Amino acid sequence: MTAPAQSGPAAPVLEAVDLHVEIPLPMGQLKAVRGVSLSVGAGEAVGLVGESGCGKSITLRALLGLLPVPARVTGGALLLDGVDVLGMAERRRQRALTDAISMVFQDSLTALNPVMRVGDQIAEVPRRRLGMSKAEAHARAIDLMDQVGIPEPEQRYRAYPHQLSGGMRQRICIAIAMSTEPRVILADEPTTALDVTIQAQVLAVIDKLRVERELGLVLVSHDLAVVSQTCSRIYVMYAGRVVEAGQSLPLLTRSEHPYTDALLRSVPDPDATVERLASIPGQPPMLVDVPPGCAFAPRCTFARDVCTADPNPPELEPVSVGGSHTTACVRHQDIDLASGAVSAFVAEKEA
């Protein structure tokens, strides 16, 4: 499956600007998100990728105002149609965000109420939020189940979550997300634990709805191959920061940050004969005590003293004059990451 053609970037529906999220712990403040900026326009699909623990999911939750206690936003702006909702009263802010944004969670089994029929779970939001009658909400739920590709929706309406497969449960979660008529969908690793065939089907459902309804989509994944199938732009996160961003194909075929390059090299290539997959040595830093300079430097084979000379983390800068491809590597002009970084899925996208 290849990413559908998408037009140039539209005016952002949702935009985070220099967003910071902290979590108080007994040993200090854990800086989970450290100055993340990203945007998504109507009908646009953007990906947020990185290792587990790099801040992807908590960034997504911050966008919807669903941070777990005691995490909180400590800085930055969150713009909805250009208006900073962080300055609103809490009730008004939450209403504005939930009216415009829906979320598809990672684990469909825990996201769904195990003792409630799946159809009733889809119909609940239209009744509570859109003021529909019971009959109208039932009809809407059936229609949404049909749109997300659930066969025999009238019969499936009365099923409980445990009676459905993982792929069907995830389609139910997508239908619930769509029931509020959102303008942006946040998808937090929606294909986790699904086999590759079902992964492709779930991604196809999400992408079909994005195109038909001109939805903005933010897709979170640790899998570059999954993101490459759907997203026109990619943000790469490490240690709570975006370290590289740009259009999907240039970023995947010509990465300009050693971390992105390392992620690409760790993707299995079914056409290559290797005894052992490449891996990234070491562990991500503990963000209570953030190391100076580039947080990836202790794990980077290209690191030099200049990478940690400045106590502040390197800022994103354009790879070329006027280009949209940016990187937070201070040595990106001195090192060549092109050789060997293009895996099979990237080559397929080029063809």
Side-chain angles (χ1 to χ4, degrees), residues 1-289:
M1 176 180 175
T2 57
Q6 297 181 31
S7 57
V13 175
L14 180 65
E15 184 175 12
V17 181
D18 195 28
L19 192 67
H20 290 258
V21 175
E22 295 186 2
I23 305 172
L25 297 176
M27 68 282 291
Q29 292 288 327
L30 189 148
K31 300 173 179 63
V33 178
R34 305 185 297 133
V36 165
S37 294
L38 59 84
S39 65
V40 61
E44 183 183 24
V46 300
L48 195 57
V49 302
E51 292 174 291
S52 297
C54 69
K56 307 183 301 298
S57 292
I58 201 163
T59 296
L60 221 62
R61 288 178 175 270
L63 295 179
L64 189 50
L66 287 180
L67 287 173
V69 177
R72 62 190 180 95
V73 175
T74 57
L78 182 57
L79 308 179
L80 188 60
D81 291 322
V83 178
D84 187 4
V85 299
L86 294 181
M88 297 178 179
E90 182 178 356
R91 185 182 294 271
R92 183 183 170 204
R93 176 179 67 247
Q94 201 60 48
R95 181 76 190 197
L97 290 173
T98 54
D99 280 351
I101 308 168
S102 287
M103 190 163 177
V104 179
F105 293 93
Q106 180 176 1
D107 187 350
S108 60
L109 196 56
T110 57
L112 296 172
N113 187 333
V115 296
M116 188 175 180
R117 299 183 193 278
V118 294
D120 290 336
Q121 295 187 53
I122 300 171
E124 182 178 24
V125 176
R127 291 193 68 188
R128 292 178 178 271
R129 297 296 298 274
L130 303 181
M132 290 185 178
S133 67
K134 185 175 181 180
E136 290 172 334
H138 181 277
R140 181 169 178 79
I142 294 296
D143 180 56
L144 285 167
M145 291 173 74
D146 182 61
Q147 287 184 43
V148 299
I150 294 177
E152 301 177 334
E154 284 283 3
Q155 295 182 24
R156 293 287 199 281
Y157 185 102
R158 299 183 57 79
Y160 289 96
H162 72 274
Q163 295 176 312
L164 301 178
S165 66
M168 285 295 167
R169 287 196 300 268
Q170 198 59 280
R171 290 169 190 256
I172 294 293
C173 289
I174 295 169
I176 292 172
M178 294 302 303
S179 67
T180 60
E181 300 180 354
R183 299 170 60 206
V184 177
I185 291 287
L186 309 179
D188 187 5
E189 304 209 37
T191 59
T192 297
L194 302 178
D195 66 55
V196 291
T197 301
I198 304 302
Q199 280 187 14
Q201 292 174 1
V202 169
L203 287 174
V205 167
I206 293 174
D207 201 51
K208 175 176 175 286
L209 293 169
R210 173 189 67 80
V211 172
E212 290 178 350
R213 303 195 180 196
E214 293 190 342
L215 297 171
L217 170 66
V218 182
L219 176 62
V220 164
S221 180
H222 64 276
D223 190 334
L224 281 163
V226 167
V227 170
S228 73
Q229 294 174 7
T230 305
C231 299
S232 60
R233 290 192 295 120
I234 294 176
Y235 296 90
V236 182
M237 283 192 72
Y238 182 77
R241 287 182 64 83
V242 174
V243 296
E244 188 169 5
Q247 297 294 316
S248 296
L249 194 56
L251 186 146
L252 294 172
T253 56
R254 181 75 188 190
S255 55
E256 293 287 344
H257 195 285
Y259 177 62
T260 309
D261 179 71
L263 290 177
L264 284 164
R265 292 176 186 275
S266 66
V267 176
D269 184 348
D271 296 325
T273 302
V274 293
E275 293 184 359
R276 186 172 184 174
L277 288 174
S279 61
I280 306 174
Q283 297 291 330
M286 180 63 178
L287 295 180
V288 171
D289 185 19

